[in-house]
Amino acid sequence: MPGFDAYDHLNISLNPDGTLNRHLKIPTLPATPDVLTPDQPTVSKDVTLDADKKTSLRVFRPTKLPSNDTSVAKLPIIIYVHGGGFIDFSPATAMIHDHCSKLAVEIPAVLVSVAYRLAPESRLPAQYEDAVDAILWVKKQAELGGEGDEWLRDYGDFSRCNLYGASNGANIVFHAALRAMDHNLEPMKITGLILNQPMFSGNKRTRSELKFATDQFLPLPAIDLYWHLSLPPGTDRDHRYSNPMANGPHKEKIKSLGRCLVVGFGGDPMVDKQQEFVQMLILEGVPVEARFDNIGFHGIDLIDARRAAALLTFIKEFV
């Protein structure tokens, strides 16, 4: 794509010290820990995860809750990791906050949204480490019992924890799930991974990458720039972080993953890599539910109400 400026397309510029200027001003929303209106669907609160790393969590719960009676089933817990190409957004980003709020109501669930460190200021695997920190935070709440976070304590089912990631967030969820195997997570239990349009790549171009190289929303040079800014220095797209089909120490762990839901769309440049990923999981004996639609582009569920509703149904049935 001669003359195409991926930095300009993504509304970013790189400083000499390696930090990034993010020029796109995206609306944010504050947490709402108290019920302010009778029709308010959820409440939310911000919790510090690691003060040194400047990471945090935004926890959501529906305002209409089951009884505290222990005979009433508690809500599943979803640990959510947002998209943004590793370089942008946070749980406070309006569209992410609204998505999490809707999930908490419609599933229903207690939802823990992770504010991880962004690239290139913090490159991979920092984001995987932050997601594991979030998993261990949930585990700690289970261990603390009556002294743990009151929303998780009173309404969350620690035996039904799901990891959900969108785009690069799905990449983070996959790798964080593998890393979490190095920890004893009891008494919490991860029962499933939800991978919505996972962001994977490789040095060899796939047919879908070439076919949709000039995609208006996510052209191939922009995807390449995301990887350039997030992968460890000196590595390329065949690194296991971007290409999980590559050989590496992670491969032995894949067979131990639990249930996985993988969602993709036919107009996504990364769809071929996503389907290759699904095939790898199946060959490793991982229980996979693959939901691919021939129509649609990367991130379509953020702007298309019908696709958003379908995704919500998939997640609700899976959880």
Side-chain angles (χ1 to χ4, degrees):
M1 297 175 64
F4 182 85
D5 188 332
Y7 283 94
D8 183 64
H9 180 80
L10 296 175
N11 282 288
I12 57 175
S13 59
L14 193 63
N15 296 313
D17 64 357
T19 61
L20 205 63
N21 292 320
R22 299 165 176 86
H23 302 294
L24 191 61
K25 303 303 179 185
I26 302 173
T28 59
L29 294 172
T32 54
D34 300 310
V35 178
L36 303 177
T37 62
D39 60 347
Q40 184 176 328
T42 62
V43 287
S44 57
K45 62 182 177 181
D46 291 328
V47 177
T48 298
L49 181 59
D50 189 310
D52 292 334
K53 297 177 183 176
K54 297 181 180 178
T55 56
S56 62
L57 307 168
R58 179 164 289 187
V59 185
F60 297 78
R61 69 164 176 83
T63 51
K64 293 181 181 179
L65 290 160
S67 165
N68 277 327
D69 187 333
T70 55
S71 64
V72 178
K74 290 189 175 183
L75 304 177
I77 297 170
I78 296 177
I79 300 173
Y80 177 77
V81 186
H82 66 79
F86 297 105
I87 69 169
D88 219 340
F89 306 153
S90 78
T93 302
M95 63 182 177
I96 293 168
H97 176 99
D98 289 342
H99 179 59
C100 291
S101 179
K102 189 167 187 177
L103 279 171
V105 173
E106 297 291 339
I107 299 298
V110 177
L111 193 138
V112 179
S113 184
V114 185
Y116 54 83
R117 288 169 288 174
L118 298 177
E121 292 85 354
S122 298
R123 289 177 175 264
L124 293 168
Q127 293 75 15
Y128 305 155
E129 295 166 359
D130 297 343
V132 172
D133 285 349
I135 294 169
L136 295 178
W137 180 85
V138 173
K139 174 200 169 176
K140 183 177 180 181
Q141 308 318 304
E143 291 175 331
L144 289 172
E147 301 299 317
D149 178 88
E150 60 181 344
W151 289 3
L152 272 69
R153 177 194 68 203
D154 293 344
Y155 305 110
D157 184 347
F158 291 102
S159 69
R160 286 195 298 156
C161 294
N162 289 263
L163 309 182
Y164 171 24
S167 189
N168 72 281
N171 174 297
I172 294 171
V173 158
F174 169 70
H175 285 282
L178 297 179
R179 286 169 171 255
M181 293 179 190
D182 296 333
H183 301 269
N184 177 7
L185 299 182
E186 294 181 359
M188 77 172 287
K189 182 179 180 182
I190 296 174
T191 56
L193 274 59
I194 302 163
L195 307 171
N196 178 16
Q197 303 161 75
M199 182 175 172
F200 297 124
S201 188
N203 286 343
K204 184 179 179 181
R205 297 299 190 191
T206 65
R207 279 191 287 183
S208 62
E209 285 177 330
L210 296 173
K211 181 178 180 180
F212 301 111
T214 59
D215 179 77
Q216 289 186 341
F217 174 64
L218 195 62
L220 193 55
I223 299 174
D224 289 350
L225 181 56
Y226 281 140
W227 289 118
H228 175 70
L229 293 172
S230 59
L231 285 168
T235 63
D236 58 29
R237 294 189 307 275
D238 270 341
H239 191 283
R240 65 183 184 277
Y241 294 164
S242 54
N243 186 4
M245 281 65 73
N247 290 325
H250 67 295
K251 293 296 281 286
E252 284 301 311
K253 293 181 176 180
I254 291 174
K255 62 176 66 72
S256 299
L257 287 174
R259 300 164 55 242
C260 291
L261 168 64
V262 184
V263 178
F265 295 95
D268 184 346
M270 294 179 282
V271 68
D272 283 356
K273 209 66 180 176
Q274 293 160 3
Q275 292 179 336
E276 186 180 343
F277 172 73
V278 168
Q279 292 171 359
M280 177 191 70
L281 294 180
I282 292 172
L283 289 174
E284 293 292 342
V286 177
V288 181
E289 183 177 336
R291 298 278 192 164
F292 284 85
D293 190 329
N294 289 332
I295 306 298
F297 48 85
H298 193 84
I300 190 173
D301 53 297
L302 297 175
I303 60 174
D304 184 313
R306 186 169 67 88
R307 289 323 198 302
L311 175 64
L312 190 61
T313 298
F314 297 156
I315 295 171
K316 190 170 184 177
E317 292 174 349
F318 182 79
V319 171

